[in-house]
Amino acid sequence: MPVNVGDNHYDRLEQILLGEQWQDVFDDEAAFRETSEEATQNAVGNEEWRETSGTLRVTTEVVDGEQITIVAF
């Protein structure tokens, strides 16, 4: 799911991109999955190439055998 760095709505996902463990950021697995799914749904239909002069960050978390990839710029 794409996340815009500095978007307060997804600040907990940004914390994971910066190295925090999802277990330390979210109360439980359900809250992490809910936020991840919401971010993905908000991105569907809004896909476009964007130029950036900053850093592209990517991380993959595995939750109960499922990979969740977070991308931010």
Side-chain angles (χ1 to χ4, degrees):
M1 93 252 343
V3 174
N4 291 324
V5 172
D7 181 347
N8 292 334
H9 187 69
Y10 297 120
D11 61 343
R12 292 184 295 170
L13 294 176
E14 183 179 354
Q15 289 175 339
I16 295 169
L17 279 167
L18 296 174
E20 296 290 329
Q21 298 296 312
W22 72 264
Q23 300 91 330
D24 297 332
V25 177
F26 288 90
D27 294 333
D28 55 32
E29 181 180 319
F32 177 46
R33 286 180 179 276
E34 182 179 318
T35 302
S36 300
E37 290 172 12
E38 179 182 318
T40 300
Q41 289 303 312
N42 286 338
V44 171
N46 294 318
E47 301 91 346
E48 64 183 63
W49 286 103
R50 298 180 191 176
E51 290 187 30
T52 183
S53 59
T55 301
L56 180 67
R57 295 183 174 108
V58 180
T59 190
T60 299
E61 297 292 322
V62 178
V63 179
D64 197 27
E66 178 184 351
Q67 288 186 327
I68 298 174
T69 301
I70 305 169
V71 178
F73 55 93

